[in-house]
Amino acid sequence: MWTIAMKDLRLRWKDKRGLITMLLMPILLTAILGSALGGNFGEDSSMPDTVVGVAFDEVDQMTDQWVNEVLPNDEVTVTAFENGQELEVALQEKAIDVGVVLPENWGQQMSESEVKVWTDPEKTIQASIVHSMLTSFVDRIQSVSATANVFAFEMGAEGGVDVESATEEVMADLRAVAGAEGTSVRAAEEGQASLTGMQYYAAAMGVMFILFNATIGARSVLEERHTQTLARIAMTPIRPFPVMVGKFLGTLFYSLLQFLLFLIATYLFFDVSWGESPGQVLAVGVAYGVAVSGLAMMLASVIKEEKTIDAVGGIGVQVLALLGGSMIPIAAFPDILQTVSNAIPNKWALDGFISVMTGTTWTELILPTSLLLAFGLLCLWMGSMRLKLQ
Amino acid sequence: MLQVSELKKRYGQKEVVKNVSFKLKEGEAFGLLGPNGAGKSTTIAMICGLVSYDGGQISWHDKPMTSSMKKKVGIVPQEIALYPTMSAKENLLFWGRMYGLKRKEAKKRADDVLDIVGLKDRGKETIETFSGGMKRRINIGAALMHEPELLIMDEPTVGIDPQSRNHILETVKQLNRQGMTMIYTSHYMEEVEFLCDRVGIMDHGEVIASGTQKDLCQRLIGGTVIRLKLEGANESGMQAIQQLASVNQIASDPESNTYEVFVKRPDEAISDIMDTTVEYRMKLSEISVQEPNLESLFLQLTGRSLRD
Ligand SMILES: Nc1ncnc2c1ncn2[C@@H]1O[C@H](COP(=O)(O)OP(=O)(O)OP(=O)(O)O)[C@@H](O)[C@H]1O
Ligand SMILES: [Mg+2]
């Protein structure tokens, strides 16, 4: 049993490409998403009330997002104009403080070079703040989509994931993320620390990437069946159930290793605080690892082909990650989806991590961790019942 | 030590193994010879407890087989069942540990086994960098780690070069000389002739003949095969040959115009056959006499040759 688990761990450790995907990608994504969210609009607070006029001739997703969601805040009010002339008039009449003219197709090209920012000479500070907000938005969008591309490429290389549709999905999700406002994702409840974007996305990305172990673990069982090593193991004196437990443990250990490295990396490099209690973080992490590894054995028992598992895994992880709040905070979902998301394990894990980050008691953690453990062990048991070694 | 009696297996409607029986004495090498799909691998899988059987019995040292027997048996599967990204030695260690060896024992034994299969200096290299023949050797080595009493090999030489094949055959022969009991399946009769004391010939899930090589060859009706190549063969001519007093049976392969004729007294038969071909205006382009062997026995029993 241990021999099988250690062998699997070693095999996975040797798979350099897999290692990069599983260890570096989540860290990279956290960095980008986290900093995008935590984007420093430092001057905001010292900014006097400002009315910004924006002229654009086409409404697309990006423009709409910037004009209606990103730009407006307590101090900034936005007025839309049909064209540059109208905007100029308004500026002269002092109806607006700063004017921004977006070029044609700005939403598609996402560059700031042709954007004109006008202001009256007394209000240059406001103008430069608006300009920097624009720059940071464009930067964010660009870096997020670059990341999404790399990510999709890596995942595509891993297996037969339908790269294009996967990319589109991830892009769409990430765009929404980049556009999400506020540095505090979840309003602080009484007596609790508030949560930064970085913290949220560290937890979210960690949860999402650990979820990939469900596919990886299942795939490893299918591969072993394919190469007949599983049949060969079945011919040794070891009984089938310990064999499955061995495969399960291999997946679990790898998940935990990945989780620990991710914890350390986010803590050291991005100062992510995982809360006051390392014990609680580990408890949630282990419980989640058990859930994911159990799921892996379950998948291995119902799916026959490696190709299927790649496809199912690629899409499945995205859907689950999305539903579980790893892409966009769940609060942003319609009610029905919020209800649905209560049924998925990665959401319980994310909730668990977040409550640990914001401070919680052990008693409150009993529910999510025991749910996760029960889910994992049930899956493992059902998987081992169904699975044929040959 | 191992007795298999009336073993049966069906997959759906198809009876893959029907009433297979054989016995194995200590130190013996038993060959299972048969063409593709004969049911050799299935028989072995049942002995190893990998697949269940629908009838019959397997006993080990006169007791019904239990899973504890698995410790005493080493199996070389037909496929190369190794981990390609691990080194040869790591693979051996893993399989040794699966058979219950302690880490230390396994390490020591792995070196010995690498020596036995002749890859002592390649132990650190990963399996995926190995040639087909080297992989096959490690595949055998993995079954030797726990020093089994009985070694079961399922076509351990398919798809490899003659040099590796000879090496493997020599190694296996050596192991048998040192007292290891073995079952060896193959569709190469020359391998079985070289290695095995006793042979079972399987076809369509049945053992159609078994015994020592000598027994089997004597069972050949007449014992000798004459191979003919005829141009312009016609039915009445062939019938005439079949009816010759000196001829027992004919197996024909019309596509290549070759005919295998089983005869008692070769000299007499040859002259009879020559006369008949002239009489029926068939052109005899080749004629040769073959000493009896397993291949000709198989041919006689089934009318087909072992390999197409
Ligand atoms: N799992 C299975 N389900 C259905 N049929 C099977 C299964 N395994 C084997 N068979 C059938 O059983 C028959 C015997 O197969 P087996 O592998 O035992 O032959 P073999 O003698 O080992 O042949 P080869 O020389 O090709 O290895 C074949 O016709 C095969 O199609
Ligand atoms: Mg076979």
Side-chain angles (χ1 to χ4, degrees):
Chain A
M1 201 164 94
W2 293 110
T3 318
I4 296 177
M6 293 325 281
K7 182 264 303 167
D8 273 359
L9 201 56
R10 178 175 302 176
L11 280 181
R12 261 165 244 184
W13 188 252
K14 280 191 172 167
D15 176 10
K16 294 296 176 250
R17 146 160 258 135
L19 214 57
I20 290 173
T21 320
M22 295 300 279
L23 296 179
L24 286 184
M25 287 308 289
I27 295 172
L28 212 67
L29 275 177
T30 310
I32 288 164
L33 294 179
S35 60
L37 271 180
N40 188 7
F41 311 126
E43 298 103 318
D44 285 15
S45 51
S46 62
M47 191 173 177
D49 286 354
T50 310
V51 180
V52 180
V54 183
F56 49 90
D57 44 26
E58 239 182 307
V59 183
D60 55 48
Q61 208 196 340
M62 286 297 128
T63 315
D64 181 64
Q65 204 169 38
W66 192 67
V67 174
N68 294 320
E69 286 167 28
V70 179
L71 200 51
N73 61 23
D74 291 346
E75 291 86 18
V76 178
T77 320
V78 178
T79 323
F81 291 89
E82 294 281 312
N83 53 47
Q85 281 93 23
E86 280 183 31
L87 185 121
E88 230 177 322
V89 175
L91 197 64
Q92 274 156 17
E93 290 169 356
K94 305 221 180 216
I96 56 174
D97 301 308
V98 181
V100 178
V101 184
L102 300 176
E104 259 179 74
N105 293 330
W106 179 74
Q108 272 89 51
Q109 282 154 8
M110 271 291 126
S111 81
E112 35 155 338
S113 55
E114 290 170 56
V115 178
K116 297 189 192 82
V117 179
W118 295 334
T119 184
D120 78 54
E122 293 154 34
K123 293 173 178 158
T124 49
I125 299 175
Q126 277 128 304
S128 75
I129 292 173
V130 170
H131 195 259
S132 82
M133 286 171 76
L134 183 76
T135 314
S136 100
F137 179 70
V138 170
D139 281 354
R140 253 191 282 167
I141 296 288
Q142 280 172 348
S143 59
V144 164
S145 38
T147 318
N149 275 332
V150 177
F151 171 72
F153 175 77
E154 282 294 331
M155 292 324 293
E158 272 298 286
V161 183
D162 179 359
V163 181
E164 287 210 6
S165 71
T167 315
E168 266 168 40
E169 264 178 64
V170 175
M171 292 277 278
D173 300 335
L174 292 182
R175 252 179 230 139
V177 164
E181 44 190 306
T183 46
S184 177
V185 176
R186 192 203 230 186
E189 284 165 32
E190 228 176 311
Q192 286 186 327
S194 78
L195 195 69
T196 65
M198 194 63 148
Q199 276 180 305
Y200 184 86
Y201 277 101
M205 287 298 115
V207 165
M208 173 161 122
F209 275 84
I210 289 172
L211 193 55
F212 275 112
N213 283 297
T215 339
I216 295 179
R219 195 172 207 287
S220 127
V221 176
L222 296 191
E223 259 169 20
E224 282 216 44
R225 180 156 45 205
H226 185 78
T227 61
Q228 308 263 329
T229 45
L230 209 54
R232 191 170 198 169
I233 291 176
M235 292 190 267
T236 69
I238 298 190
R239 298 183 167 279
F241 187 67
V243 174
M244 289 318 295
V245 176
K247 298 294 294 176
F248 166 83
L249 286 178
T251 310
L252 177 60
F253 291 161
Y254 187 67
S255 313
L256 292 182
L257 187 73
Q258 182 194 13
F259 177 60
L260 281 181
L261 290 175
F262 182 71
L263 270 188
I264 296 169
T266 49
Y267 179 74
L268 288 183
F269 302 141
F270 311 130
D271 283 335
V272 173
S273 153
W274 286 81
E276 301 288 294
S277 160
Q280 289 180 340
V281 180
L282 284 185
V284 178
V286 170
Y288 182 49
V290 169
V292 168
S293 313
L295 186 62
M297 296 304 119
M298 179 76 174
L299 284 178
S301 74
V302 289
I303 294 176
K304 295 256 143 39
E305 297 288 327
E306 289 158 51
K307 265 191 231 142
T308 323
I309 199 93
D310 287 338
V312 171
I315 296 165
V317 168
Q318 290 206 7
V319 172
L320 286 181
L322 184 63
L323 284 177
S326 280
M327 308 264 192
I328 315 167
I330 297 172
F333 288 171
D335 289 346
I336 309 172
L337 282 187
Q338 290 196 30
T339 319
V340 172
S341 77
N342 280 329
I344 61 174
N346 49 317
K347 190 232 175 203
W348 310 332
L350 186 54
D351 276 358
F353 285 128
I354 285 171
S355 52
V356 174
M357 283 169 167
T358 52
T360 186
T361 58
W362 279 101
T363 20
E364 277 181 68
L365 280 183
I366 289 177
L367 184 66
T369 46
S370 48
L371 265 179
L372 285 169
L373 284 175
F375 175 85
L377 295 176
L378 190 71
C379 280
L380 169 64
W381 180 71
M382 292 202 297
S384 329
M385 290 287 114
R386 280 194 52 116
L387 195 89
K388 294 213 174 74
L389 292 180
Q390 205 188 3
Chain B
M1 77 201 282
L2 179 75
Q3 182 165 7
V4 174
S5 44
E6 303 194 358
L7 208 55
K8 290 183 192 71
K9 177 74 191 177
R10 51 168 70 239
Y11 283 118
Q13 282 299 314
K14 202 170 156 206
E15 270 194 298
V16 184
V17 173
K18 320 168 192 167
N19 291 330
V20 166
S21 308
F22 58 85
K23 235 185 195 168
L24 222 66
K25 289 198 286 285
E26 237 112 311
E28 194 175 31
F30 180 71
L32 260 184
L33 190 62
N36 287 122
K40 305 182 295 291
S41 298
T42 310
T43 305
I44 286 179
M46 287 187 284
I47 297 174
C48 305
L50 188 60
V51 300
S52 59
Y53 40 96
D54 302 326
Q57 265 157 7
I58 300 172
S59 52
W60 173 250
H61 289 298
D62 299 327
K63 283 186 216 102
M65 185 188 68
T66 55
S67 58
S68 67
M69 156 191 165
K70 287 180 170 181
K71 258 204 162 103
K72 306 275 171 57
V73 180
I75 292 133
V76 181
Q78 186 169 355
E79 311 291 327
I80 295 169
L82 300 170
Y83 299 100
T85 56
M86 297 201 310
S87 75
K89 191 163 175 182
E90 283 170 331
N91 266 285
L92 292 179
L93 283 177
F94 175 75
W95 293 109
R97 301 273 289 148
M98 294 308 286
Y99 277 97
L101 296 192
K102 302 261 179 310
R103 183 175 301 275
K104 248 195 176 153
E105 294 173 316
K107 274 203 174 130
K108 196 174 157 295
R109 181 68 186 152
D111 289 329
D112 296 347
V113 167
L114 280 171
D115 200 19
I116 294 174
V117 298
L119 291 171
K120 198 168 190 173
D121 43 352
R122 314 289 296 260
K124 288 212 170 64
E125 292 168 43
T126 55
I127 295 292
E128 59 194 352
T129 65
F130 278 12
S131 72
M134 283 151 70
K135 285 180 193 163
R136 287 268 163 207
R137 289 196 234 167
I138 299 295
N139 203 33
I140 295 176
L144 297 175
M145 283 296 289
H146 58 296
E147 302 181 73
E149 279 178 36
L150 171 64
L151 181 65
I152 302 180
M153 283 168 283
D154 194 358
E155 301 186 33
T157 59
V158 283
I160 61 173
D161 57 291
Q163 196 195 340
S164 291
R165 189 166 151 209
N166 285 338
H167 186 278
I168 288 177
L169 289 175
E170 283 300 336
T171 311
V172 171
K173 183 100 188 165
Q174 186 61 29
L175 288 168
N176 182 229
R177 279 203 202 102
Q178 289 162 1
M180 193 179 278
T181 316
M182 46 183 65
I183 299 178
Y184 190 99
T185 85
S186 176
H187 22 152
Y188 295 102
M189 57 99 199
E190 60 278 15
E191 292 183 0
V192 173
E193 277 175 353
F194 172 72
L195 287 173
C196 304
D197 317 313
R198 282 193 316 121
V199 183
I201 297 181
M202 268 190 98
D203 191 34
H204 296 307
E206 282 175 294
V207 176
I208 48 180
S210 75
T212 63
Q213 282 193 43
K214 227 179 174 177
D215 288 347
L216 286 176
C217 291
Q218 275 168 0
R219 274 182 53 190
L220 272 171
I221 318 163
T224 310
V225 178
I226 296 177
R227 187 186 294 259
L228 305 176
K229 199 159 187 161
L230 283 173
E231 273 154 45
N234 53 57
E235 209 158 303
S236 47
M238 292 319 293
Q239 234 154 33
I241 294 180
Q242 171 86 67
Q243 273 151 18
L244 289 171
S246 51
V247 169
N248 282 309
Q249 200 184 335
I250 299 182
S252 56
D253 179 7
E255 265 177 36
S256 60
N257 291 326
T258 52
Y259 300 85
E260 319 255 356
V261 185
F262 296 89
V263 301
K264 283 193 200 92
R265 290 176 300 277
D267 302 348
E268 194 182 317
I270 287 175
S271 74
D272 285 353
I273 290 171
M274 302 255 257
D275 291 347
T276 318
T277 52
V278 173
E279 190 181 327
Y280 286 85
R281 294 168 198 280
M282 302 186 288
K283 186 164 173 273
L284 185 60
S285 56
E286 241 177 77
I287 183 163
S288 59
V289 181
Q290 292 182 339
E291 283 306 306
N293 60 19
L294 293 176
E295 179 102 48
S296 44
L297 176 64
F298 186 81
L299 194 66
Q300 179 187 316
L301 290 169
T302 65
R304 291 176 291 126
S305 69
L306 263 175
R307 273 161 289 143
D308 314 305

